[in-house]
């Protein structure tokens, strides 16, 4: 079993990253918000590229990625989605938690 370091606290890290991105944002206002949300499409494309590379689906390129690359890209998608949500609302933790609970109840039933 691989020994892994503990993950940083999710929401404090998302808050800090959001602050850092806001400080370094080249585009402000609604357009900046939309661009941050659009970043998700770029990250999902990188997941697709990694899956194609891990399975060698491009005969010209062969195997170019590992499944660990796919894992990392999926993590980037999750982080980017949480950052977009946090940019949209300062109550991202509560919004996400409430939505996750509704999905859990809908899918798994009540506790």
């Amino acid at each position: 079993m691989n020994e892994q370091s503990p993950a940083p606290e999710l929401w404090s890290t998302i808050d800090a990253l959001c602050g850092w991105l806001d400080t370094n944002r080249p585009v402000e206002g609604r357009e900046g918000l939309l661009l941050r949300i659009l970043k998700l499409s770029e990250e999902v494309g990188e997941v697709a590229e990694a899956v194609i590379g891990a399975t060698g689906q491009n005969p010209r390129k062969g195997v170019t990625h590992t499944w660990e690359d796919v894992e990392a890209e999926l993590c980037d998608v999750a982080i980017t989605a949480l950052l977009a949500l946090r940019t949209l609302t300062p109550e991202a933790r509560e919004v996400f938690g409430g939505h996750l609970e509704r999905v859990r109840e809908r899918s798994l039933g009540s506790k």
Side-chain angles (χ1 to χ4, degrees):
M1 181 173 186
N2 288 340
E3 187 87 19
Q4 296 183 356
S5 61
E9 204 284 319
L10 178 66
W11 289 106
S12 64
T13 301
I14 293 299
D15 287 342
L17 287 170
C18 193
W20 174 75
L21 286 170
D22 287 346
T23 300
N24 296 288
R25 184 188 314 197
V27 178
E28 296 292 330
R30 182 177 177 161
E31 187 178 352
L33 169 64
L34 296 175
L35 288 168
R36 192 161 297 170
I37 293 169
L38 188 58
K39 177 81 170 143
L40 274 168
S41 294
E42 177 189 4
E43 296 298 341
V44 169
E46 291 176 9
V47 171
E49 180 181 10
V51 170
I52 289 167
T55 58
Q57 291 303 300
N58 184 335
R60 185 174 52 81
K61 294 181 179 179
V63 174
T64 59
H65 291 75
T66 65
W67 288 105
E68 288 79 17
D69 294 327
V70 176
E71 292 171 359
E73 295 300 344
L74 286 168
C75 289
D76 286 348
V77 168
I79 293 165
T80 302
L82 292 176
L83 282 167
L85 180 61
R86 175 60 184 83
T87 301
L88 190 60
T89 177
E91 289 84 33
R93 178 189 305 231
E94 293 78 16
V95 170
F96 184 77
H99 187 77
L100 183 60
E101 179 61 20
R102 287 188 296 279
V103 169
R104 187 196 63 75
E105 286 178 11
R106 182 175 66 227
S107 301
L108 303 175
S110 57
K111 295 179 186 179

